[in-house]
Amino acid sequence: MGSLKSEEQVELIGGESSEAIIYVNGVRRAIPDGLAHMTLLEYLRDIGLTGTKLGCGEGGCGACTVMISYFDHSLNKCVHSAVNACLAPLYSIEGMHVITVEGIGNRRSGLHPVQESLATSHGSQCGFCTPGFVMSMYALLRSSKTPPTEEQVEESLAGNLCRCTGYRPIIDAFRVFAKTDDTLYTGHQKVGHGSGEFMCPSTGQPCSCGSRPEQNGRTKVQNGACDQRYEAVSYSETDGSRYSDKELIFPPELLRRKPTFLNLTGFGGLKWYRPLKLQHVLELKARYPAAKLVVGNTEVGIEMRLKKMQYQVLISTAQVPELNAINVKDDGLEIGAALRLSELLTILKKVTEERAAHETSSCKALIEQIRWFAGTQIKNVASVGGNICTASPISDLNPLWMAAGARFQIIDYKGNIRTTLAENFFLGYRKVDLAGNEILLSILLPWTRPLEYVKEFKQGHRRDDDIALVNAGMRVRLEEMDGDWIVADASLVYGGVAPISLSARKTNEFLIGKSWNKELLDCALGVLGKDIILKEDAPGGMVEFRKSLTLSFLFKFFLWVCQQMDGKASFADSVPSSHLSAIKPVHRPSAVGSQDYEIVKHGTSVGSPEVHLSARLQVTGEAEYTGDVPLPPNALHAALVLSRKPHAHIISIDDSGARSSPGFAGIFFAKDVPGDNMIGPTIADEELFATEFVTCVGQVIGIVVADTHENAKLAARKVHVEYEELPAILSIEDAIQNQSFHPNTEKCLTKGDVDFCFQSNDCHRIIEGDVQVGGQEHFYLEPNCSLVYTVDNGNEVHMISSTQAPQKHQKDVCHVLGLPMSKVVCKAKRLGGGFGGKETRSSFIAAAASVPAYLLNRPVKLTLDRDTDMMITGQRHSFLGKYKVGFTNEGKLLALDLELYNNGGNSIDLSLAVLERAMFHSDNVYEIPNMRIKGRVCFTNMPSNTAFRGFGGPQGMIIVENWIQRIAMELKKSPEEIKEMNLQQEGAVLHYGQKLEQCTLTKLWKQLKLSCNFPRVREEVNQFNLQNRWKKRGIAMVPTKFGISFTTKFMNQAGALVQVYTDGTVLVTHGGVEMGQGLHTKVAQVAASAFNIPLSSVFISDTSTDKVPNASPTAASASSDMYGAAVLDACEQIKTRMAPISSTRDFSSFAELVNACYMNRIDLSAHGFYATPDIGFDWKSGKGVPFQYFTNGAAFAEVEIDTLTGDFHTRDANIFLDLGYSLNPAIDVGQIEGAFIQGLGWVALEELKWGDAAHKWIPAGHLYTCGPGAYKIPSVNDVPLKMSVSLLKGVPNPKAIHSSKAVGEPPFFLASAVFFAIKDAIVAARAEAGFTEWFPLDNPATPERIRMACTDEFTLKFATSRFRPKLSV
């Protein structure tokens, strides 16, 4: 190895380069020195390639996915990989080719087949996540010699999140590229038996997908089930699999170019080195002992960006051959420390195929653990050594290295190599046995011996792409001795139970030398319970659950080893068939979906399943979001100064550090606000900038502006605020105890005489209890963003905002600047998701940004980072419901007395309206003669909670369904039986006085029951549960009735502007905002049908307050109804004006008619208006008609749970909805599926954890789950294996445009069928253990809640059968 004496010699030996060369979409780019601090994503967006999105900044959402290609000289082939651009250091891709979504296709030159398929399959709604999905699929195709399998397609998408679609259409769109039949790819056409028909490779049925080939290799299908199919054109090692003749090739320059040593710098003195030899790495490490070695930057990047850790020297080891080597030796597998996990996975699979099965038990365990380790993008860059040396206590791989007896080779700068056992390498929390001048060289994984078994275990919040709550690696070696099987060696290692991966030493010692049998297991479980100690206040919480998992994993391991030993001579402990389910490997078949609806056309377009109007822009990355808008000259970036205390008196603010920060341009506080500092959507009860007191963590104290986003954040962090802390209210329970309520929020609804009914003999039984309902983060993929700029030197203020309520932005900015509304304009082109989160809580962001923009007369852009967005903008309200219910022995409901409390946070916002809707929906669909519903909004020292899809309705309904399920258990009947006998019927008068009309509840219920064949499935589930002790299935049917209208009457109005041009095209502007729900598409269809013209002749641009004034927020599911009607009104006005001309003769086209009208001076522009009729509610009397109509639905779900871990999956979901005559059934189905999966997240996955009495390990008032790392929304893996959506046929709705019904919110609650199916499965598990009484189950039903409710001998060691895991409410 060469010597390295000075920095100068580094440069000489390596062939040093002072600039980095990369190619982006085929274009050569020389990157200058000084950018080591920059990520690939920042660079791409700076050069105008904004198709690649910033969703989270931590590699957790996949919105930033791009493909990188590099030539591997050792393999002599080009490697194509999907990576997260938000984590990739810019210089790390030197010498590589980066392909972004813009590089594979666009509207002008044509879409790539991947883009085309996604667009036509309705796989893009808001579109913000779409480029990431496209690039993940594209990279898979480019890297595959043969078409991938369906399983590989779904695996490739595991690192991509979508909040809109529910994933089903995305899977369907990409499934067409999967290899399901060789004949499609061998060129031999598969035909039907003697029919000559082409047989579809996906369905196996005759279809037209193989007909009419076009020149570009695509096949056009009119209405086939398969949409379009694509064939690979060719494959080369350099270019990869080519699905189109326009594919970007790997640049020849990069083929010839040899890697060079890089010595580059970045902001703040950061140094970046890329050595090419091991010796150079060692000498650099000797010179810079504190330097961080990086390969994928998946840990260091997060530490530097999110945890604000400062590292001055980064050494990239990705291209050091010695650290990337892998050697198959006689004694094991030697793995270079810099080897990427995806490469390790490939090698391990190859080794298991080539070597004797008994040698590769460790390899198989690693394969399975890496599979669930992370998304594809992370595995493509993260290194083995990086994961080891990070020494995370929840590392998935370190327990396996330790249990398998792996040895780590460590080398110092002199070349001295020492070896240590993995078990001895981890010294403490994130501390390892490495000196400052040493690095990890390689890992030696020994082959396992005969009768030696290694197994992996892991349980997270979510199965796919999630960090572990608890994991384990376990190994045992057995020997036969005197006809008995003795433990010769054992190693049990756990993660997630201590500051390091912990070896259960006492248990290991106890096992060795003893017979492997049930008695040993029972004793070992006792020893293990004392071996692994978790204190009550342990970081991460969930102590009882985590302790129980340690026992569950050992039990599973025992059963698994017994199964492996089954058939061996004299081995008597075979696994009972009922226990086999505990160790059955997780295999998830590809999800399938079906959609059933009728098409009722009205004119040229209404009723047709048209593709989202922006779909083709979104799949190519050309769709522009607020953050993509090019900044005007002289623009500044802003960052907020935020409170770090939940309740405190501000003593002083020192901003001197900010003022001396690089790029600083200004800092502003309450004293600088030109107008009024008090704002609020309903009551002005919150300060724009806090003055004397702060009332939550994340409250805005001030705003800093600087030349870059990073500099603004840096300056904001340097503002020092001194506080005097005050007592904080951090939960609903705290609020009730302290009588902390928002003023004037006490509400009551009554029907009948509740007290008399309870005292009468009619009530055979009365139950009382409470239901806790968890909150939910919106997790729109596009974080909040506003760009504010002045016009005419400050005479006017304009803004482009990511908001559902442009008028609220306009109003608040006017308010804080002291300007008239006529001088302030807010525009919104499209949102990357909203779900209610951008209705009111986005407004203060624009208002804050407007202050420096106005005072400095410079454009200001404020974009929230994901963690900040989640922390300060509020969530779905958590609720507490206290109920008392009277009913008969038959199950007939008689009386309900309910107290509702919601957590409003530190300002009222929309919390009262949310509470009111929850009260309206507190009957769900059930006839209850006597009702009393009381409600109050709690004031807490938490960020103000706000609107979220359903707006309180789902919380009210899930409380109902909880006590319905309890009644069923009390009466030993099925919940479905109780529901059926109490369903509301036509003409029923609800507890707030409204009469039910066009009630389709019974019809929906019967059709759903027939469709899912409920009695048969019930019997099948019962049989499965009888035969399986540790896996249980459950089923449930849940109905819903959702009222359509804003419950505040004046908001039920809409305006639109329709302009007809002389070429026959139509421009529509209305007050609604497009956020993925297809509003613009539906409204355009209304206009197209009104004028009897093609949909392509209608265009809708942005939503703007200077086009349509005083618009209500796009919310309450009513936008299609209202804006569709307003547009129709405008169209009818124009048609009325055109009628005298059109009646004179037949015109050959609409354009000809328009021209004739123009020549006759007919006004071809009209403003339309709509006000929802016949609604209104009086809270004084508690009676009225708050809703124009109801959207009804019902859903069935079947789930399977692992009672030992709490893991679950949804086997089947069957959804029926009454949507009248759908304006666009394809968009409506997309809304149903998206709402259902989002609802599934609320009931089963997504848990908010706040620093409160339930989570004392979190700082008071802080949000722990403030990013995709800790907060888990559903992923591709959470989609039901079978998902059916049916729209009720033949039920026109006379109360909305073209007989349609609203769809956005109503399906959300139907996902509670999954929750109650989970509870049904838990009931079966508890019954088998002898526990048959009712028990509470709060949502979300996370693995913790499922596991701890499945009471058995393992949980009883730590908790009683009535244990209720803690929940932030």
Side-chain angles (χ1 to χ4, degrees):
M1 289 186 286
S3 173
L4 188 78
K5 301 300 180 189
S6 67
E7 199 161 314
E8 289 71 27
Q9 274 187 287
V10 176
E11 298 166 3
L12 291 171
I13 293 169
E16 183 265 347
S17 175
S18 59
E19 68 174 6
I21 302 297
I22 65 169
Y23 274 72
V24 180
N25 296 332
V27 177
R28 186 182 193 272
R29 292 185 176 272
I31 304 174
D33 193 6
L35 301 179
H37 58 282
M38 189 174 268
T39 64
L40 173 59
L41 176 64
E42 290 166 333
Y43 176 76
L44 292 173
R45 294 183 64 80
D46 280 355
I47 63 173
L49 295 174
T50 55
T52 309
K53 307 299 184 192
L54 175 61
C56 68
E58 57 181 273
C61 73
C64 64
T65 304
V66 298
M67 187 182 86
I68 60 165
S69 304
Y70 61 92
F71 193 75
D72 188 318
H73 291 274
S74 62
L75 298 175
N76 198 34
K77 63 176 284 189
C78 194
V79 177
H80 306 285
S81 301
V83 303
N84 293 121
C86 73
L87 289 179
L90 179 57
Y91 292 144
S92 72
I93 47 98
E94 198 279 336
M96 300 180 187
H97 187 195
V98 181
I99 297 182
T100 70
V101 69
E102 294 95 338
I104 69 172
N106 56 59
R107 282 175 308 123
R108 290 180 180 173
S109 62
L111 271 60
H112 189 278
V114 170
Q115 297 168 322
E116 187 76 54
S117 185
L118 191 60
T120 57
S121 299
H122 308 282
S124 180
Q125 288 187 19
C126 86
F128 199 81
C129 69
T130 300
F133 275 95
V134 167
M135 294 313 297
S136 287
M137 185 65 205
Y138 177 77
L140 176 67
L141 295 179
R142 283 294 294 265
S143 61
S144 303
K145 275 191 175 183
T146 58
T149 63
E150 290 188 3
E151 186 179 9
Q152 287 172 323
V153 169
E154 290 195 27
E155 276 187 21
S156 75
L157 304 177
N160 293 80
L161 296 178
C162 174
R163 198 53 155 164
C164 296
T165 65
Y167 298 102
R168 193 276 310 162
I170 299 174
I171 297 169
D172 279 1
F174 293 159
R175 183 180 282 128
V176 302
F177 300 100
K179 181 178 182 179
T180 50
D181 192 294
D182 286 335
T183 54
L184 181 64
Y185 304 99
T186 56
H188 300 295
Q189 192 184 57
K190 182 176 180 178
V191 295
H193 299 288
S195 65
E197 291 181 280
F198 183 85
M199 301 297 284
C200 175
S202 277
T203 65
Q205 301 298 316
C207 77
S208 57
C209 73
S211 61
R212 297 188 299 281
E214 295 181 340
Q215 287 186 347
N216 61 1
R218 285 179 274 171
T219 300
K220 196 170 183 180
V221 183
Q222 297 304 317
N223 291 304
C226 336
D227 298 324
Q228 297 177 328
R229 305 281 159 183
Y230 307 103
E231 297 186 49
V233 176
S234 64
Y235 182 88
S236 75
E237 293 287 11
T238 302
D239 295 340
S241 186
R242 297 203 284 163
Y243 280 74
S244 123
D245 53 4
K246 298 174 182 175
E247 214 66 77
L248 286 165
I249 65 165
F250 189 72
E253 180 192 355
L254 298 184
L255 276 177
R256 299 188 300 268
R257 180 182 170 85
K258 291 187 177 177
T260 55
F261 179 94
L262 293 182
N263 173 10
L264 300 164
T265 61
F267 179 78
L270 178 65
K271 293 177 181 288
W272 172 276
Y273 292 101
R274 186 184 70 184
L276 302 176
K277 293 182 180 179
L278 176 60
Q279 183 62 26
H280 301 166
V281 177
L282 298 173
E283 298 202 16
L284 283 167
K285 195 72 171 77
R287 184 183 303 140
Y288 305 110
K292 281 286 181 178
L293 272 57
V294 296
V295 178
N297 201 44
T298 56
E299 182 65 29
V300 172
I302 289 173
E303 288 177 345
M304 293 181 73
R305 296 200 158 246
L306 299 184
K307 299 179 182 178
K308 314 306 178 192
M309 295 183 180
Q310 298 298 313
Y311 300 126
Q312 288 301 302
V313 181
L314 300 178
I315 304 170
S316 172
T317 59
Q319 297 197 24
V320 178
E322 299 94 326
L323 295 175
N324 285 276
I326 189 147
N327 298 309
V328 180
K329 297 184 171 184
D330 292 340
D331 58 345
L333 190 63
E334 188 179 15
I335 303 157
L339 196 74
R340 293 166 178 83
L341 291 176
S342 56
E343 295 170 331
L344 175 62
L345 192 58
T346 303
I347 296 293
L348 291 172
K349 287 178 179 177
K350 188 168 181 281
V351 163
T352 54
E353 290 170 4
E354 294 174 351
R355 297 192 73 89
H358 74 265
E359 291 186 323
T360 58
S361 186
S362 296
C363 297
K364 290 167 188 168
L366 282 164
I367 288 170
E368 194 61 22
Q369 201 73 313
I370 293 171
R371 179 187 175 195
W372 304 111
F373 179 90
T376 303
Q377 297 94 317
I378 296 292
K379 288 187 284 196
N380 281 340
V381 296
S383 67
V384 179
N387 182 257
I388 290 170
C389 294
T390 296
S392 168
I394 51 172
S395 163
D396 288 340
L397 302 185
N398 288 344
L400 273 173
W401 298 127
M402 292 167 67
R407 298 190 298 277
F408 296 162
Q409 288 197 308
I410 297 161
I411 187 169
D412 68 12
Y413 75 105
K414 294 180 180 177
N416 300 317
I417 296 175
R418 64 183 177 94
T419 301
T420 184
L421 278 171
E423 192 172 356
N424 302 325
F425 185 69
F426 304 101
L427 306 178
Y429 179 68
R430 295 189 181 260
K431 291 182 181 177
V432 294
D433 181 19
L434 280 180
N437 59 6
E438 290 182 320
I439 67 166
L440 180 65
L441 177 63
S442 62
I443 301 96
L444 183 65
L445 178 69
W447 306 124
T448 46
R449 290 164 283 183
L451 304 177
E452 187 171 24
Y453 302 105
V454 181
K455 189 66 178 164
E456 83 298 329
F457 298 95
K458 175 180 178 177
Q459 185 59 50
H461 281 297
R462 184 179 69 196
R463 185 179 299 163
D464 235 1
D465 189 19
D466 192 8
I467 55 175
L469 299 172
V470 178
N471 53 28
M474 299 188 183
R475 175 179 58 86
V476 68
R477 181 165 60 86
L478 303 181
E479 288 180 353
E480 189 174 15
M481 192 177 296
D482 301 326
D484 204 358
W485 290 96
I486 306 298
V487 179
D489 194 14
S491 180
L492 311 181
V493 185
Y494 288 93
V497 296
I500 59 172
S501 299
L502 187 68
S503 177
R505 297 182 189 276
K506 292 176 185 174
T507 312
N508 296 341
E509 292 167 5
F510 175 80
L511 290 171
I512 295 171
K514 296 184 175 64
S515 298
W516 185 262
N517 53 34
K518 183 71 168 65
E519 290 72 29
L520 174 64
L521 171 67
D522 292 339
C523 295
L525 288 168
V527 176
L528 182 63
K530 297 171 184 173
D531 207 359
I532 304 287
I533 304 296
L534 265 175
K535 295 181 181 177
E536 189 180 340
D537 60 348
M542 301 180 286
V543 171
E544 297 84 359
F545 172 52
R546 288 154 70 192
K547 285 179 179 176
S548 75
L549 283 178
T550 62
L551 303 188
S552 293
F553 288 168
L554 178 55
F555 177 63
K556 281 175 171 265
F557 181 60
F558 175 81
L559 293 180
W560 179 75
V561 172
C562 288
Q563 186 191 39
Q564 303 301 306
M565 292 292 292
D566 199 24
K568 297 282 192 299
S570 70
F571 187 79
D573 280 85
S574 60
V575 182
S577 60
S578 63
H579 283 37
L580 283 172
S581 58
I583 51 176
K584 186 180 177 184
V586 175
H587 173 69
R588 178 188 164 84
S590 190
V592 295
S594 66
Q595 304 83 44
D596 180 28
Y597 52 78
E598 64 178 341
I599 295 175
V600 182
K601 289 288 291 282
H602 186 284
T604 57
S605 190
V606 166
S608 180
E610 302 285 352
V611 168
H612 194 292
L613 286 182
S614 294
R616 293 173 72 83
L617 285 170
Q618 290 165 190
V619 297
T620 58
E622 294 170 285
E624 196 174 80
Y625 299 82
T626 303
D628 303 332
V629 175
L631 287 181
N634 211 26
L636 296 169
H637 293 264
L640 301 173
V641 179
L642 303 172
S643 161
R644 303 302 296 166
K645 302 295 178 184
H647 189 201
H649 178 225
I650 298 174
I651 303 297
S652 64
I653 300 173
D654 178 5
D655 61 7
S656 58
R659 292 181 180 278
S660 59
S661 198
F664 172 85
I667 186 167
F668 303 87
F669 299 101
K671 62 181 175 57
D672 302 305
V673 174
D676 195 336
N677 191 48
M678 297 300 295
I679 58 172
T682 52
I683 299 168
D685 65 342
E686 53 186 300
E687 294 180 304
L688 177 64
F689 300 131
T691 52
E692 192 176 352
F693 295 94
V694 291
T695 53
C696 74
V697 173
Q699 185 172 351
V700 181
I701 296 172
I703 187 169
V704 177
V705 285
D707 58 345
T708 69
H709 183 51
E710 289 302 317
N711 279 344
K713 290 191 294 181
L714 179 64
R717 288 199 298 273
K718 291 179 179 179
V719 177
H720 179 70
V721 182
E722 189 179 339
Y723 303 96
E724 177 192 357
E725 292 195 55
L726 300 169
I729 306 289
L730 297 173
S731 67
I732 291 176
E733 189 179 333
D734 281 355
I736 295 171
Q737 285 178 358
N738 292 279
Q739 289 294 293
S740 176
F741 301 106
H742 283 280
N744 305 314
T745 61
E746 194 167 359
K747 297 287 180 177
C748 185
L749 294 172
T750 60
K751 173 186 176 184
D753 191 329
V754 172
D755 294 326
F756 178 79
C757 184
F758 282 138
Q759 293 164 9
S760 72
N761 294 328
D762 294 338
C763 264
H764 299 153
R765 302 192 189 205
I766 296 173
I767 57 170
E768 294 185 63
D770 66 79
V771 180
Q772 295 182 130
V773 183
Q776 185 183 23
E777 164 60 30
H778 303 87
F779 212 97
Y780 29 73
L781 264 289
E782 175 204 27
N784 271 291
C785 180
S786 276
L787 172 62
V788 186
Y789 54 97
T790 57
V791 176
D792 279 351
N793 286 303
N795 188 46
E796 301 172 45
V797 174
H798 288 211
M799 76 194 95
I800 301 169
S801 286
S802 179
T803 177
Q804 296 172 235
Q807 191 238 12
K808 286 187 185 295
H809 279 222
Q810 177 193 27
K811 206 168 185 177
D812 278 355
V813 168
C814 290
H815 195 65
V816 302
L817 297 184
L819 294 174
M821 289 179 73
S822 57
K823 288 190 174 185
V824 176
V825 177
C826 180
K827 296 185 178 184
K829 182 74 172 175
R830 61 174 60 82
L831 310 189
F835 315 113
K838 294 176 180 174
E839 183 177 345
T840 58
R841 300 316 297 164
S842 61
S843 184
F844 75 87
I845 297 161
S850 71
V851 173
Y854 184 69
L855 294 177
L856 297 177
N857 202 21
R858 293 176 67 179
V860 171
K861 181 179 182 180
L862 174 54
T863 303
L864 299 187
D865 287 347
R866 174 63 59 187
D867 56 341
T868 303
D869 194 304
M870 291 181 72
M871 182 174 70
I872 74 173
T873 60
Q875 285 98 13
R876 180 185 298 280
H877 291 75
S878 55
F879 267 72
L880 173 64
K882 297 184 176 183
Y883 62 82
K884 181 179 179 182
V885 184
F887 53 98
T888 68
N889 286 331
E890 293 73 39
K892 206 72 176 166
L893 304 177
L894 296 179
L896 167 65
D897 194 1
L898 178 66
E899 290 179 22
L900 284 179
Y901 301 91
N902 70 349
N903 188 334
N906 71 333
S907 72
I908 189 66
D909 192 72
L910 301 176
S911 297
L912 181 56
V914 168
L915 176 73
E916 290 170 354
R917 186 173 273 272
M919 295 171 70
F920 286 138
H921 286 77
S922 287
D923 60 345
N924 193 9
V925 299
Y926 306 116
E927 183 61 45
I928 310 170
N930 304 283
M931 295 178 68
R932 179 169 58 216
I933 317 293
K934 292 182 178 178
R936 296 196 80 172
V937 179
C938 297
F939 177 97
T940 60
N941 293 115
M942 299 170 76
S944 190
N945 285 315
T946 191
F948 196 151
R949 197 178 207 158
F951 204 75
Q955 294 98 312
M957 291 186 280
I958 202 167
I959 290 170
V960 181
E961 294 296 328
N962 265 283
W963 55 253
I964 286 280
Q965 193 269 344
R966 182 172 178 182
I967 289 172
M969 287 195 75
E970 293 273 341
L971 298 176
K972 294 181 170 50
K973 294 187 175 186
S974 78
E976 287 71 29
E977 195 178 341
I978 304 297
K979 294 172 189 183
E980 220 166 283
M981 73 170 69
N982 290 288
L983 277 181
Q984 291 166 342
Q985 303 296 328
E986 180 74 18
V989 177
L990 306 177
H991 58 288
Y992 43 88
Q994 182 162 351
K995 186 178 178 182
L996 273 189
E997 299 172 337
Q998 287 92 37
C999 180
T1000 54
L1001 287 168
T1002 301
K1003 187 175 184 179
L1004 281 162
W1005 185 263
K1006 287 179 177 177
Q1007 286 200 17
L1008 174 65
K1009 200 170 183 181
L1010 187 67
S1011 174
C1012 66
N1013 202 338
F1014 193 83
R1016 177 181 60 79
V1017 178
R1018 176 79 270 174
E1019 182 56 35
E1020 288 173 357
V1021 165
N1022 290 343
Q1023 283 300 312
F1024 177 89
N1025 291 341
L1026 281 173
Q1027 294 162 12
N1028 294 274
R1029 173 64 186 96
W1030 303 108
K1031 292 270 176 74
K1032 297 294 179 186
R1033 289 179 182 170
I1035 57 173
M1037 284 175 62
V1038 171
T1040 189
K1041 156 183 120 265
F1042 195 87
I1044 304 301
S1045 289
F1046 287 98
T1047 52
T1048 304
K1049 183 176 179 178
F1050 76 84
M1051 296 177 74
N1052 293 281
Q1053 58 176 301
L1057 180 63
V1058 176
Q1059 299 173 112
V1060 181
Y1061 294 94
T1062 55
D1063 64 351
T1065 61
V1066 177
L1067 175 64
V1068 175
T1069 310
H1070 60 86
V1073 176
E1074 177 59 55
M1075 48 190 166
Q1077 82 280 41
L1079 173 62
H1080 282 359
T1081 306
K1082 286 183 174 181
V1083 167
Q1085 286 178 272
V1086 169
S1089 284
F1091 289 123
N1092 200 33
I1093 57 177
L1095 181 60
S1096 58
S1097 294
V1098 181
F1099 179 65
I1100 300 182
S1101 186
D1102 53 14
T1103 305
S1104 182
T1105 57
D1106 63 351
K1107 302 291 191 301
V1108 177
N1110 313 319
S1112 293
T1114 304
S1117 302
S1119 298
S1120 294
D1121 288 3
M1122 296 199 306
Y1123 292 111
V1127 166
L1128 184 60
D1129 175 43
C1131 294
E1132 293 298 335
Q1133 291 176 43
I1134 295 171
K1135 284 169 66 180
T1136 301
R1137 296 175 203 153
M1138 296 171 83
I1141 306 298
S1142 63
S1143 63
T1144 59
R1145 64 181 177 89
D1146 289 335
F1147 289 87
S1148 62
S1149 67
F1150 183 65
E1152 187 184 8
L1153 170 61
V1154 171
N1155 261 297
C1157 291
Y1158 172 69
M1159 298 305 289
N1160 281 276
R1161 298 185 297 178
I1162 302 294
D1163 183 4
L1164 296 171
S1165 174
H1167 172 260
F1169 184 75
Y1170 176 78
T1172 307
D1174 307 321
I1175 56 169
F1177 189 80
D1178 178 16
W1179 274 100
K1180 288 181 181 176
S1181 66
K1183 298 294 182 242
V1185 182
F1187 306 116
Q1188 192 185 18
Y1189 63 88
F1190 296 91
T1191 294
N1192 303 320
F1196 162 85
E1198 179 184 355
V1199 304
E1200 182 174 309
I1201 66 171
D1202 183 331
T1203 67
L1204 289 167
T1205 64
D1207 200 27
F1208 89 97
H1209 66 270
T1210 309
R1211 289 171 46 79
D1212 192 4
N1214 198 336
I1215 306 160
F1216 272 71
L1217 240 77
D1218 166 17
L1219 294 183
Y1221 288 163
S1222 171
L1223 295 176
N1224 184 322
I1227 280 177
D1228 285 351
V1229 164
Q1231 285 293 289
I1232 293 167
E1233 292 174 333
F1236 187 88
I1237 297 300
Q1238 193 176 63
L1240 187 151
W1242 174 58
V1243 299
L1245 288 172
E1246 302 175 38
E1247 181 171 8
L1248 292 165
K1249 294 185 179 180
W1250 290 90
D1252 52 23
H1255 304 89
K1256 292 182 178 177
W1257 49 276
I1258 304 171
H1262 285 249
L1263 178 64
Y1264 173 72
T1265 48
C1266 59
Y1271 187 81
K1272 297 299 171 183
I1273 70 170
S1275 71
V1276 167
N1277 199 261
D1278 298 301
V1279 177
L1281 302 182
K1282 181 184 174 189
M1283 190 171 184
S1284 308
V1285 176
S1286 303
L1287 304 187
L1288 202 60
K1289 298 181 175 73
V1291 283
N1293 174 32
K1295 295 196 172 186
I1297 186 167
H1298 297 316
S1299 304
S1300 65
K1301 277 193 174 185
V1303 67
E1305 293 169 291
F1308 178 90
F1309 177 68
L1310 293 179
S1312 68
V1314 173
F1315 176 82
F1316 290 104
I1318 288 171
K1319 192 162 188 181
D1320 185 52
I1322 296 171
V1323 167
R1326 289 171 66 92
E1328 190 152 348
F1331 299 95
T1332 56
E1333 79 282 3
W1334 177 83
F1335 61 97
L1337 181 70
D1338 300 318
N1339 76 292
T1342 56
E1344 177 194 14
R1345 291 187 178 82
I1346 296 173
R1347 173 66 190 107
M1348 297 312 292
C1350 292
T1351 306
D1352 55 32
E1353 60 264 40
F1354 308 120
T1355 61
L1356 286 172
K1357 293 180 188 292
F1358 311 112
T1360 68
S1361 65
R1362 303 283 295 176
F1363 177 71
R1364 195 171 183 176
K1366 296 169 183 174
L1367 179 67
S1368 288
V1369 291

